[in-house]
Amino acid sequence: SCQDPKWFPSLLKKTILGITSLMAVFGTFGYFAFGSATEAPITLNLNGTIATIVKLSLCLGLYLTFPIMMFPVNDVMEDLIFGKGTTHPKKIFRTCVVFCSAVIAYLIPDFGKFLGLVGASICTILGFILPCFFHLKAFDRCELQHWEWCLDIFLIGFGAAFGIFGTRDAFLNLMG
């Protein structure tokens, strides 16, 4: 797509459709398999040797991707705190960030409920509200078709309403 940028919108649409379809199918099959007793995360419903292999694979994947996810966070925070050019305090800072992450993960009694809170609040903002907001800011109203503008406004409202409802519900579940 970088060699020929005109193909990027098509590639992006296919990728989003593929990922959304995969998640919808996986979630649906998970619900069909376990019904209303489905636990979060869904790996808690699995038993046996295969389940252990799946859980170990997920742990390995999280372990190996943690540095990738934390790199931009550390980069921005280090520049804000220490300024550019220093190296030794950055290593100590990164160690402290990893340690704090481990302590927070250990102290959360029900990680599934915490993930529900993160998903309802942060992921709703990232998935529904911000893309539509940026789309509206990137184009003047006269450049957008009427249905595009209406869809953006609807998704912002939908995301805000269900984000507030979901965050409240997830927070109450986490506290109770």
Side-chain angles (χ1 to χ4, degrees):
S1 71
C2 290
Q3 292 176 350
D4 195 0
K6 71 178 179 185
W7 295 106
F8 181 74
S10 173
L11 178 65
L12 180 63
K13 288 175 188 173
K14 289 176 186 174
T15 303
I16 290 174
L17 179 66
I19 291 171
T20 303
S21 300
L22 183 67
M23 292 179 130
V25 167
F26 185 77
T28 303
F29 285 154
Y31 187 76
F32 284 151
F34 303 110
S36 61
T38 303
E39 296 184 52
I42 198 165
T43 54
L44 293 177
N45 293 1
L46 303 175
N47 295 318
T49 306
I50 299 292
T52 303
I53 292 170
V54 168
K55 291 175 186 177
L56 286 173
S57 298
L58 287 171
C59 288
L60 180 65
L62 287 172
Y63 176 75
L64 294 175
T65 58
F66 185 78
I68 296 169
M69 292 183 292
M70 291 306 294
F71 180 77
V73 174
N74 284 333
D75 200 35
V76 169
M77 288 174 46
E78 289 166 356
D79 287 345
L80 288 173
I81 293 171
F82 301 114
K84 297 185 186 249
T86 58
T87 56
H88 294 294
K90 289 183 178 183
K91 291 177 184 175
I92 295 168
F93 178 76
R94 289 179 185 181
T95 303
C96 290
V97 168
V98 171
F99 181 75
C100 288
S101 298
V103 168
I104 290 170
Y106 180 75
L107 291 177
I108 295 173
D110 190 345
F111 199 67
K113 290 180 181 178
F114 178 73
L115 285 178
L117 179 64
V118 171
S121 56
I122 305 301
C123 293
T124 303
I125 293 169
L126 291 175
F128 286 97
I129 297 172
L130 288 180
C132 296
F133 176 76
F134 293 145
H135 186 243
L136 290 173
K137 289 294 180 186
F139 299 98
D140 291 330
R141 178 134 186 222
C142 61
E143 293 178 291
L144 295 173
Q145 294 183 16
H146 182 68
W147 69 268
E148 290 176 316
W149 184 84
C150 289
L151 181 61
D152 283 342
I153 296 300
F154 171 77
L155 288 175
I156 289 171
F158 176 84
F162 282 96
I164 291 168
F165 174 75
T167 300
R168 179 188 169 278
D169 186 55
F171 184 75
L172 292 175
N173 284 337
L174 188 63
M175 291 299 139

